[in-house]
Amino acid sequence: MTELIQAPGDANPPVRRRVVEWADPSIAATSVAGRAGVDFLRAIADGEIPPPPVAALLGMRLTDVEPGRVVFELEVGEHLYNPIGSVHGGIISTVLDSAMGCAVHSNLERGQGYTTLELKVNFDRAVTIAVAVVRAEAEIVTSGRRVATAVGRLVGPDGTLYAHASTTCLVFEAGR
């Protein structure tokens, strides 16, 4: 929730305040071990398992999950802006990294984990509050025993491309 705060008669610009609430992240962390990747992610998308705190902080949510493909939506707001009046590139990178990582995760078997080894992002167009919601669509390109790659696109409701990315992830046995 974002609210505008200004004292009566105050000549200074109004201040915005954003309140963020999230669930205990250990709930998800303890739930991941007993599930295949796609089942774990579907449980988050369906609200059975709470999303990670970063999702609440940024205003993003997992909306679609299929084996090898996921979609996140990001609510665009001023709280994500950089000093020049557009969404910070680090936020765009985070949403794309999340989507591509989850695309890899959706292909994992129970007892497997992953981590990002490499991330490459191209920024094609500035994202501003003129676009209320953007979608990070990601899918696996290759998935091997130890390494997986994925690509992602950040698009607006009309299909406008704002950024595209690729990642390489290391796949490992959980607990190692």
Side-chain angles (χ1 to χ4, degrees):
M1 171 178 75
T2 303
E3 62 184 327
L4 200 59
I5 303 168
Q6 186 169 21
D10 189 352
N12 293 319
V15 174
R16 282 108 164 123
R17 178 173 60 195
R18 183 170 171 83
V19 177
V20 179
E21 296 177 348
W22 63 92
D24 179 352
S26 69
I27 297 168
T30 57
S31 300
V32 70
R35 301 175 189 241
V38 71
D39 296 332
F40 175 71
L41 293 172
R42 284 180 177 154
I44 291 174
D46 293 343
E48 179 187 333
I49 296 173
V54 69
L57 179 66
L58 297 183
M60 66 180 185
R61 64 187 175 91
L62 183 57
T63 60
D64 297 309
V65 179
E66 301 171 25
R69 184 179 183 282
V70 302
V71 177
F72 276 84
E73 288 186 350
L74 173 70
E75 296 175 28
V76 179
E78 290 178 338
H79 64 287
L80 303 175
Y81 270 21
N82 60 26
I84 60 172
S86 62
V87 173
H88 192 284
I91 302 298
I92 292 169
S93 298
T94 299
V95 174
L96 284 166
D97 182 46
S98 297
M100 293 183 299
C102 285
V104 169
H105 193 129
S106 72
N107 245 24
L108 298 182
E109 297 175 13
R110 186 173 48 169
Q112 288 185 305
Y114 78 95
T115 190
T116 301
L117 290 174
E118 181 265 341
L119 172 67
K120 166 82 167 80
V121 181
N122 293 309
F123 304 100
D124 299 298
R125 181 180 306 249
V127 178
T128 67
I129 58 173
V131 182
V133 177
V134 289
R135 293 170 49 98
E137 304 169 346
E139 61 185 26
I140 289 177
V141 175
T142 62
S143 184
R145 192 175 58 80
R146 300 277 293 152
V147 174
T149 60
V151 293
R153 298 168 34 92
L154 189 74
V155 296
D158 64 353
T160 299
L161 179 67
Y162 290 93
H164 62 281
S166 62
T167 191
T168 303
C169 295
L170 174 67
V171 177
F172 54 86
E173 296 304 315
R176 285 192 164 178

